[in-house]
Amino acid sequence: MTNQSRISTQPRLLLDTRDVIFEMADEIMPKLDDKGAQKIDSRDTGLPMWTAPMFGRGRTPGKKWSAQFNVTIVSAERPNVQDGDQVNPVDLEALPWVSEQNGRTRSGTAFKASGLEVVSGPSAVKAA
């Protein structure tokens, strides 16, 4: 497969994360397919995919929010972060999806990033 054939035609919905605090909620694990093999990003990069469970907190006055969600990290190596690290997802984007199964329609939003930068926590101390 050539790089040309991996270029996505979908618009990228990059998210503004300047007023959001992200914290790892658990350890990063390989993102697995239904057969138990690690998924590969076949749409864009051809790189392995990782699941990063995290907490997010919006800190804009009057618009505060909090949530727990998973971010798919597309990276050759497992990101070097730990549970509890405060992180910044690199190139965080929203991926709206719709699925039909057994006559029922489901929809939602998935999140994808190209990496994680550690802001504070045990991993930041090790890196210093």
Side-chain angles (χ1 to χ4, degrees):
M1 181 180 285
T2 67
N3 282 342
Q4 186 69 15
S5 63
R6 285 194 181 134
I7 296 173
S8 175
T9 58
Q10 297 286 42
R12 294 186 72 198
L13 302 173
L14 294 173
L15 301 176
D16 179 358
T17 60
R18 288 177 289 188
D19 291 322
V20 181
I21 297 169
F22 295 95
E23 181 180 314
M24 295 303 300
D26 206 341
E27 297 297 321
I28 290 182
M29 301 296 290
K31 186 173 184 111
L32 303 177
D33 65 17
D34 57 354
K35 295 178 181 152
Q38 186 168 13
K39 287 186 174 185
I40 302 297
D41 178 23
S42 60
R43 184 179 309 166
D44 294 318
T45 65
L47 295 173
M49 300 167 80
W50 308 86
T51 299
M54 60 182 65
F55 299 110
R57 288 192 330 265
R59 57 185 177 179
T60 303
K63 298 180 183 177
K64 293 187 177 189
W65 58 270
S66 64
Q68 182 174 353
F69 52 97
N70 290 326
V71 175
T72 297
I73 307 299
V74 180
S75 172
E77 302 286 327
R78 179 190 179 279
N80 187 22
V81 298
Q82 298 178 28
D83 184 3
D85 282 350
Q86 186 176 332
V87 298
N88 282 331
V90 177
D91 298 325
L92 182 64
E93 64 182 296
L95 302 163
W97 58 268
V98 176
S99 172
E100 287 193 38
Q101 191 172 26
N102 300 327
R104 297 186 77 158
T105 301
R106 297 177 54 219
S107 63
T109 305
F111 299 94
K112 179 174 127 181
S114 60
L116 295 173
E117 295 174 345
V118 178
V119 176
S120 66
S123 293
V125 172
K126 286 180 189 176

